[in-house]
Amino acid sequence: ELQDDYIEVVMPLVEKYPSVFKKDTFTLEQFCRISTLVSSRAFEVDAYHEMAMVPLADIFNHRSGDEDVHFESTFEVCEACGALDYCEHRYLEYIEHGEENGDEDDEWSDVEDEGEHEEAEEEDEDIEDDEEEGPLKDLDELEAKKVDFWKDEDEDDEKDTCDLVLERDVEKGMEIFNTYGPLPNVALLSKYGFCHDNNENDYISTTQDIVFSVCVETTRGLLFGDNDTSDKATEESFERVRSRFEFFYANEEILCGSDDEEEEDDHDDDEHNGCCGDDHDHDHEHGHGHSDGEEEEHEHDGCCDDDGCCSGEGEDDVPQPYYCNSEGEWEDNVMCLLHTVFAGDKLFEKFEQDVSVAVEYFHALANERNPEDARKLKKIAPELNLSKKLVYLACRSLTEIRRHQYLDPNGRWIPVEDDIAKRDQLTNKREYYALTCRISEKQIIQRSIKYYESRIKACNSESNASSKKKGKGRK
């Protein structure tokens, strides 16, 4: 993208104005370096300045989720001039759109409040008094004191600043940290040239196509057995999964909720476990960062080619991604999708007839620890334990596919401990941080496989206990 920007923006200037934009100076390498410096240090200031450099504000290093100092600014300003209050641009906008919006609270008025009018009259009187004070002071004396003749001492400077607010007390000599936002290691590494261990915002990802393929394989094993790979078994499994995918995506916003609803909810309910019973927190805030010297550009050696900052694919070319968080649990939308795919036939028929049944099912699933919701689930989905097991099997398969992409050329999984030992010997910062990123992702894979294997084991135990209970009942 930087190369495209250079060709489209810089090269025409170099060719048209060679005396100003010298070819030897305005090179692609220099353009990339300066662009990286600016993008890694810029703050989102407000609607007028947008992304801008803020001197001194970029001196703080990053720490995830536990900042000492916080960057603040008033974002809602006039986009045309940056005014905090009403200006001619906002007045014209009101004239054009105000009546259509019908917002009485924002009604424009050019009538000053009575108190403001009185204050203005008093200020005018003061000015008149000042003008009648007598002859000017000796100009040489004023010049010697370097008096600014053009500055009104009583005039308040308009506030046009950003604030850095200390969040907690810090002791003398302590380093003060800012946070650049809840960023995964691939984002920190690609934009700021560093990353770190134990990043709670880190993740691994997969694509919609891979999720679909895993669902088809799991469904085929359920319906025809693991050994039946015939075209008939594949086609029937494909059609079954396709119809359920279509239902889910047609009703995704209803089933999973929109991003706006999640932000408004703000996750106040500590007992809420996501749409399918797994804990997932989504936190968004804008941040900033900086990198030092050679860290500005990196070689992400060893990381997967299809994930993160080194995928090499444009945003429009990449299928919809799904994420597995740092704890190893796949995100809510994946879980909702999989529960839709592996719902029992009778239950899915009810979903198609009335989507509110699906909404009720996912709500009860998210609050399964509540006895009332647990009873409701048993009534809605008698085959819930089997559905859960299939969901967990699919999740484990998704993670195992990612695991396969981290094998060495000989097909071996290098233990994380060996990667850490190798990293400790590195002196090149780029290689060090690239391996840190890889280590973090491999640790997520290990946690994920361990977690879903434990869930599958729990489903098997529940199934065995249920079978024994039925057997005793027959006797």
Side-chain angles (χ1 to χ4, degrees):
E1 291 184 5
L2 283 176
Q3 185 173 4
D4 292 339
D5 290 341
Y6 177 79
I7 293 172
E8 294 175 8
V9 179
V10 181
M11 284 300 295
L13 296 174
V14 171
E15 293 172 359
K16 189 172 183 180
Y17 307 104
S19 60
V20 178
F21 299 95
K22 299 185 183 301
K23 189 174 182 179
D24 294 340
T25 302
F26 291 85
T27 62
L28 174 60
E29 181 181 0
Q30 185 72 348
F31 177 74
C32 290
R33 175 176 172 77
I34 298 302
S35 298
T36 304
L37 284 168
V38 172
S39 66
S40 66
R41 287 166 168 78
F43 286 80
E44 185 177 21
V45 176
D46 56 36
Y48 174 68
H49 296 92
E50 297 181 346
M51 297 298 292
M53 304 290 281
V54 184
L56 298 181
D58 66 347
I59 64 175
F60 302 100
N61 282 324
H62 165 81
R63 185 165 63 192
S64 295
D66 189 26
E67 60 187 345
D68 299 309
V69 66
H70 186 68
F71 178 87
E72 294 182 358
S73 64
T74 302
F75 186 82
E76 297 299 331
V77 300
C78 175
E79 295 181 7
C81 68
L84 289 168
D85 301 315
Y86 274 118
C87 60
E88 63 270 25
H89 307 103
R90 290 187 172 183
Y91 175 68
L92 292 173
E93 183 179 357
Y94 169 79
I95 294 299
E96 186 175 354
H97 303 291
E99 294 180 2
E100 297 176 6
N101 295 337
D103 191 344
E104 296 181 1
D105 293 337
D106 293 335
E107 184 176 354
W108 177 275
S109 174
D110 59 358
V111 180
E112 297 176 330
D113 292 340
E114 185 175 343
E116 294 179 356
H117 184 68
E118 291 177 356
E119 290 178 5
E121 288 183 348
E122 292 176 0
E123 290 177 2
D124 291 340
E125 292 175 1
D126 292 339
I127 292 173
E128 292 175 2
D129 292 341
D130 291 341
E131 292 174 350
E132 297 172 0
E133 283 182 356
L136 287 172
K137 296 180 180 179
D138 186 84
L139 291 179
D140 292 333
E141 181 183 344
L142 295 174
E143 182 68 30
K145 293 181 179 180
K146 298 186 182 301
V147 173
D148 186 350
F149 295 96
W150 305 105
K151 179 175 176 60
D152 187 342
E153 296 179 358
D154 296 327
E155 180 182 348
D156 292 331
D157 291 332
E158 182 179 356
K159 184 178 185 299
D160 186 22
T161 63
C162 304
D163 299 317
L164 284 166
V165 180
L166 199 62
E167 296 288 317
R168 59 170 66 90
D169 294 336
V170 293
E171 297 180 6
K172 182 178 179 180
M174 288 178 56
E175 181 175 3
I176 298 175
F177 289 94
N178 187 10
T179 180
Y180 307 165
L183 302 176
N185 276 345
V186 289
L188 289 172
L189 184 56
S190 62
K191 188 171 184 181
Y192 304 119
F194 75 94
C195 59
H196 59 87
D197 292 325
N198 304 315
N199 184 353
E200 62 183 19
N201 300 304
D202 212 4
Y203 61 75
I204 58 172
S205 66
T206 191
T207 65
Q208 184 185 94
D209 294 341
I210 293 176
V211 175
F212 186 88
S213 298
V214 166
C215 288
V216 171
E217 291 297 315
T218 306
T219 299
R220 185 173 61 187
L222 171 67
L223 299 180
F224 302 97
D226 294 331
N227 296 324
D228 190 344
T229 58
S230 65
D231 291 342
K232 179 184 177 182
T234 300
E235 289 174 6
E236 289 189 20
S237 301
F238 181 94
E239 288 302 318
R240 177 187 175 96
V241 172
R242 183 186 59 79
S243 65
R244 294 177 180 229
F245 261 63
E246 289 178 353
F247 170 83
F248 174 80
Y249 287 116
N251 300 282
E252 183 176 10
E253 187 171 327
I254 300 173
L255 300 176
C256 300
S258 64
D259 293 338
D260 293 339
E261 290 174 355
E262 289 180 5
E263 290 176 6
E264 290 175 6
D265 180 62
D266 202 29
H267 304 282
D268 290 332
D269 186 354
D270 292 335
E271 296 181 359
H272 177 69
N273 294 322
C275 61
C276 298
D278 293 316
D279 295 326
H280 299 287
D281 293 326
H282 307 283
D283 190 12
H284 306 279
E285 59 185 70
H286 74 269
H288 140 88
H290 66 276
S291 55
D292 298 311
E294 64 176 348
E295 300 170 33
E296 291 158 8
E297 300 175 27
H298 75 279
E299 298 172 4
H300 197 163
D301 300 328
C303 276
C304 298
D305 293 335
D306 66 342
D307 185 34
C309 60
C310 298
S311 63
E313 293 182 296
E315 187 174 330
D316 296 335
D317 301 324
V318 181
Q320 178 178 345
Y322 289 112
Y323 302 101
C324 177
N325 65 22
S326 61
E327 297 298 319
E329 300 176 30
W330 288 97
E331 65 171 292
D332 289 351
N333 281 29
V334 175
M335 303 305 289
C336 282
L337 172 58
L338 295 178
H339 273 282
T340 300
V341 171
F342 298 117
D345 290 340
K346 292 182 179 180
L347 178 59
F348 184 67
E349 287 178 10
K350 293 179 180 178
F351 287 178
E352 290 184 304
Q353 294 168 3
D354 186 356
V355 71
S356 65
V357 176
V359 173
E360 183 181 11
Y361 171 71
F362 285 124
H363 176 79
L365 198 60
N367 300 278
E368 191 176 2
R369 294 177 184 177
N370 184 309
E372 183 178 345
D373 287 302
R375 287 192 296 270
K376 190 181 294 184
L377 268 178
K378 287 183 178 180
K379 183 178 179 181
I380 298 174
E383 300 176 346
L384 178 62
N385 189 59
L386 175 60
S387 295
K388 282 186 174 182
K389 180 180 177 180
L390 294 170
V391 168
Y392 297 141
L393 284 168
C395 288
R396 186 181 67 181
S397 295
L398 291 174
T399 306
E400 286 177 341
I401 289 172
R402 295 295 285 116
R403 180 182 184 276
H404 181 76
Q405 294 168 333
Y406 288 81
L407 302 180
D408 71 2
N410 296 319
R412 297 177 302 165
W413 172 267
I414 305 299
V416 170
E417 294 74 17
D418 292 355
D419 286 334
I420 293 174
K422 178 182 177 181
R423 183 186 65 177
D424 292 342
Q425 303 300 316
L426 295 174
T427 56
N428 184 293
K429 288 185 177 180
R430 295 181 181 181
E431 294 179 0
Y432 180 92
Y433 287 126
L435 190 51
T436 297
C437 185
R438 181 181 179 85
I439 289 168
S440 178
E441 292 167 354
K442 288 177 69 173
Q443 288 173 330
I444 293 173
I445 289 172
Q446 291 182 157
R447 294 187 200 108
S448 184
I449 291 176
K450 182 179 180 181
Y451 172 73
Y452 287 112
E453 283 183 345
S454 71
R455 303 311 300 162
I456 294 167
K457 185 177 180 180
C459 288
N460 289 335
S461 298
E462 184 174 336
S463 179
N464 293 335
S466 179
S467 298
K468 290 180 181 179
K469 187 175 181 181
K470 289 181 180 179
K472 289 182 180 179
R474 294 192 187 97
K475 292 180 180 178

